[in-house]
Amino acid sequence: MAPVLQTRYAFTITAYIGEVTSAGDIGHGVRRIIPIIGGEVRGPDVNGNVCAFGADFQVIRPNELIELEAKYAFETDDGAVIYVENRGIRFGPIGLLQKLKRGEPVDPNLIYFRTVPKFETGAEKYRWLMESLFIGSAARHADRVVIDVHQVL
């Protein structure tokens, strides 16, 4: 019998975002680039600030399914730098997704927004971030994305 998957809450990333840049229709969807301009990381074992660089690179498919790939970093309160690559998808009723694109509020429970963050760091204290898989449950707001990150045990 295979082991049962379990998760443990690790931390929450709040990433503030800038204005959307669009590269237009690339043949299989619309390419968007959204700068990450700061934020914070809070949890029982990790706390710090999101660095004011990086971006979320998205493709919005014709059915409004959004494929996301964010690349950024955060610095912990004790000075460690942690690089993040976070891939995911966001999907839901088209009308609600269009409201999100316009910056209007939408109940996060009505949108499927899940991610798979991967971390890299040379800091020994945080090496455990590279030794496990993580999943995230996220919510998009007009000025930020909030991701609850869970370690897969």
Side-chain angles (χ1 to χ4, degrees):
M1 183 166 141
V4 175
L5 286 177
Q6 297 179 338
T7 64
R8 174 187 78 87
Y9 170 76
F11 48 87
T12 298
I13 300 172
T14 301
Y16 287 94
I17 55 176
E19 294 296 317
V20 175
T21 298
S22 177
D25 191 332
I26 57 172
H28 58 277
V30 174
R31 168 66 71 187
R32 297 185 343 153
I33 304 151
I34 304 170
I36 296 170
I37 58 174
E40 64 182 24
V41 178
R42 296 287 175 257
D45 301 319
V46 181
N47 288 284
N49 293 304
V50 175
C51 300
F53 57 79
D56 183 3
F57 304 91
Q58 303 179 350
V59 174
I60 302 176
R61 301 289 181 194
N63 66 351
E64 294 292 321
L65 181 129
I66 301 171
E67 297 177 357
L68 309 109
E69 182 179 1
K71 296 182 179 191
Y72 55 100
F74 64 87
E75 184 173 352
T76 63
D77 288 348
D78 55 0
V81 174
I82 299 172
Y83 172 72
V84 183
E85 283 188 13
N86 200 1
R87 294 176 183 257
I89 62 170
R90 188 169 73 217
F91 191 69
I94 290 176
L96 295 179
L97 292 169
Q98 290 171 343
K99 284 179 74 170
L100 277 177
K101 277 200 297 192
R102 293 190 300 266
E104 298 174 25
V106 172
D107 180 349
N109 293 312
L110 301 177
I111 304 293
Y112 183 87
F113 188 178
R114 302 294 183 267
T115 69
V116 182
K118 177 183 170 188
F119 305 99
E120 294 178 356
T121 185
E124 189 62 37
K125 179 178 178 180
Y126 299 103
R127 301 285 292 184
W128 62 274
L129 291 169
M130 299 189 316
E131 296 167 349
S132 289
L133 294 176
F134 293 84
I135 56 172
S137 178
R140 171 74 152 86
H141 304 275
D143 64 342
R144 69 196 180 284
V145 174
V146 179
I147 307 165
D148 289 333
V149 177
H150 296 258
Q151 181 181 15
V152 179
L153 303 175

